[in-house]
Amino acid sequence: MGKRTNTNKGMRFAACLLVLSLAGTGCGAGGQVQSKEGENGTEAVQGSQNPPKSGTLDTYYFFEEDGIALSSGKHFMYSDWEPVEFDVICMDPTCSHLTEGCSARSLSREGELANDFCLICGERLIILHAIQEYQSETLSEEGAETLVTESSLVYSTEVYEADLDGSNRRKKASFPGAIDTPAMGHGAVLADGKLYFGGSPRQRDRYESDMSGGMAHGQSWTSHALYCLDLEEYTVEAFAVTEDAEGSGYMYQFYEYEGMIYAVISNYGNGVDCAIWYRIDPAAGGCEEIFRFDSNGDRGVPRFNGVIGNTVYYVYENSNKTLYARDIAAGAGEREIMTVDGEDRQVIAFILDGKILFQTDRSYEGEDRMTAYAVLDKDGNLLDTIRYDEYIVFGDVIGDKILYYATFSDCDRWWAYKEDLADLPEKGVGIGYFNGAVHDSLSD
């Protein structure tokens, strides 16, 4: 992919930090971190023999071992890993790709929910089409002094199978509920032929107003669930189904470590501060709640940061100066792993191959930009250090590749082989924009 001139680096950097904060900085299983003191043994995890994830959805990109599918909201696109060059999947050389008959067009149309996304499964293109229906009713009786109205957004999903160029689409399944948004970091995980994602079957709002024009009051509720879609049988299983949780603005994020799927439902602000973390074993099935948090005073609610063995790592929303750890066991206590200094610093850490890459220094200004990471064992003991002559933040792992961000470089997103961890600026391959939808330059 050719180099691009960055004309708005400050805004892109701010957006990058915001989305990384929302998405967390944890990643999937595997890795090739080498330490000076040899391998760091970790506690065995039930399900650790499960295969690692084979795909992950992140801000419109669906990263898979063999290539990258992309959903812009209007078109489906695809690229090999090297070189990274996104093209619409339509194979008709005479097609403008701007008409509904184009095989690369998403199913969403103008004014509809644009949450469609696609992935490659064998020789099939799988399309998930999200549908939103608006419902409204008046609850107060005629002549009442207070007008009470209630509206709902009801979500559902249709699943289509198509040829690799998007043609010959066949509807294979439909079910209540839909993905929250493909724009979210860590929006879904594909593991062992099953797709894991989360969202809401229904969001409900009630509004009360005084007919005289005085009092006005509104309240919101969200029903949510975690979904497992089997891409062979096209069956769907829903986990952690919750009816009418208080508030709106919930986020649903998915991670994979050592063959286990970790699902995070969280809400920051919107009058609700909470987080619920789940663990799913793809082979054994079932979903267990491992932690539940409400706002912890000035520190706020924890943000998920990754897993080693049976230990979960996290930072607090409002005081993100320290990386904490807590074992997945009844009554386990919280412990500190490492703290950063400086008013403008916050914890940036990444789990790779059972070790922690903890950012200890950075500069993102001009020719002096750099990043330093300490390599820690699961208890925070120093094993090694890595220094880059770029500002680098890690994103995820897929197969033998590390996904990362190099802010203020030629492009935002990059990948490199895990074996080249120490040489990312020299060995990295540019993917492109932070937001995958920007790759789609076609307009109607």
Side-chain angles (χ1 to χ4, degrees), residues 201-267:
R202 182 181 65 166
Q203 296 180 16
R204 185 163 62 94
D205 296 287
R206 178 178 293 177
Y207 188 78
E208 299 180 8
S209 59
D210 192 326
M211 298 297 288
S212 64
M215 178 191 68
H217 174 70
Q219 192 171 4
S220 299
W221 299 269
T222 302
S223 298
H224 48 69
L226 311 176
Y227 302 101
C228 173
L229 171 62
D230 188 315
L231 296 181
E232 293 297 331
E233 302 294 333
Y234 291 107
T235 55
V236 178
E237 185 173 4
F239 300 110
V241 177
T242 303
E243 296 288 341
D244 291 337
E246 182 181 359
S248 60
Y250 286 86
M251 298 183 294
Y252 310 84
Q253 296 169 291
F254 289 76
Y255 308 80
E256 179 268 325
Y257 296 90
E258 301 173 53
M260 301 290 277
I261 307 299
Y262 293 85
V264 174
I265 300 178
S266 55
N267 199 330

Side-chain angles (χ1 to χ4, degrees), residues 54-55 62-70 78-82 86 120 398 401:
S54 56
F62 204 98
F63 297 104
E64 301 187 65
E65 293 182 354
D66 294 332
I68 310 170
L70 190 152
Y78 187 80
S79 174
D80 293 327
W81 281 103
E82 193 171 5
F86 287 98
I120 305 295
I398 185 69
K401 301 174 182 67

Side-chain angles (χ1 to χ4, degrees), residues 72-75 98 100 105-116 129-130 132 442-444:
S72 72
K74 291 186 176 181
H75 298 95
L98 300 179
E100 291 192 5
R105 296 281 288 189
S106 73
L107 283 80
S108 298
R109 295 295 175 257
E110 193 69 32
E112 295 181 343
L113 186 67
N115 276 5
D116 290 8
H129 173 50
Q132 174 183 285
L442 295 171
S443 59
D444 295 337

Side-chain angles (χ1 to χ4, degrees), residues 358-377:
F358 189 99
Q359 188 183 106
T360 55
D361 195 11
R362 87 287 184 266
S363 173
Y364 38 78
E365 296 297 333
E367 298 300 320
D368 295 328
R369 62 181 181 264
M370 55 79 64
T371 327
Y373 283 89
V375 182
L376 312 175
D377 70 11

Side-chain angles (χ1 to χ4, degrees), residues 129-383:
H129 173 50
I131 300 171
Q132 174 183 285
E133 179 186 357
Y134 177 78
Q135 300 175 351
S136 179
E137 63 176 323
T138 299
L139 301 181
S140 54
E141 296 181 358
E142 185 176 355
E145 295 183 357
T146 300
L147 176 65
V148 181
T149 59
E150 185 168 296
S151 62
S152 296
L153 293 174
V154 179
Y155 299 94
S156 59
T157 298
E158 295 178 344
V159 183
Y160 292 82
E161 180 182 282
D163 296 344
L164 292 179
D165 65 351
S167 64
N168 192 25
R169 298 180 182 183
R170 292 88 65 191
K171 183 178 176 180
K172 306 297 288 189
S174 60
F175 56 92
I179 190 169
D180 179 49
T181 170
M184 176 62 68
H186 300 282
V189 163
L190 176 64
D192 200 22
K194 297 177 180 178
L195 184 68
Y196 298 86
F197 59 97
S200 175
R202 182 181 65 166
Q203 296 180 16
R204 185 163 62 94
D205 296 287
R206 178 178 293 177
Y207 188 78
E208 299 180 8
S209 59
D210 192 326
M211 298 297 288
S212 64
M215 178 191 68
H217 174 70
Q219 192 171 4
S220 299
W221 299 269
T222 302
S223 298
H224 48 69
L226 311 176
Y227 302 101
C228 173
L229 171 62
D230 188 315
L231 296 181
E232 293 297 331
E233 302 294 333
Y234 291 107
T235 55
V236 178
E237 185 173 4
F239 300 110
V241 177
T242 303
E243 296 288 341
D244 291 337
E246 182 181 359
S248 60
Y250 286 86
M251 298 183 294
Y252 310 84
Q253 296 169 291
F254 289 76
Y255 308 80
E256 179 268 325
Y257 296 90
E258 301 173 53
M260 301 290 277
I261 307 299
Y262 293 85
V264 174
I265 300 178
S266 55
N267 199 330
Y268 304 97
N270 305 301
V272 180
D273 290 300
C274 66
I276 313 170
W277 301 349
Y278 298 90
R279 181 165 67 175
I280 302 168
D281 185 339
C287 173
E288 62 171 330
E289 179 182 316
I290 55 175
F291 293 121
R292 180 181 291 258
F293 303 94
D294 294 317
S295 182
N296 190 343
D298 294 338
R299 295 198 299 177
V301 176
R303 289 188 180 274
F304 183 88
N305 211 155
V307 179
I308 299 176
N310 284 300
T311 301
V312 179
Y313 298 83
Y314 54 91
V315 297
Y316 282 95
E317 165 73 5
N318 298 331
S319 58
N320 52 358
K321 297 290 186 182
T322 301
L323 180 67
Y324 293 92
R326 184 174 170 185
D327 294 337
I328 304 173
E334 178 180 271
R335 59 186 187 274
E336 295 184 5
I337 298 298
M338 195 168 182
T339 299
V340 296
D341 298 320
E343 292 184 2
D344 63 339
R345 298 294 307 281
Q346 64 182 30
V347 169
I348 294 179
F350 179 73
I351 306 301
L352 179 66
D353 193 28
K355 299 178 179 67
I356 306 166
L357 301 184
F358 189 99
Q359 188 183 106
T360 55
D361 195 11
R362 87 287 184 266
S363 173
Y364 38 78
E365 296 297 333
E367 298 300 320
D368 295 328
R369 62 181 181 264
M370 55 79 64
T371 327
Y373 283 89
V375 182
L376 312 175
D377 70 11
K378 68 184 187 68
D379 297 315
N381 300 307
L382 181 64
L383 302 173

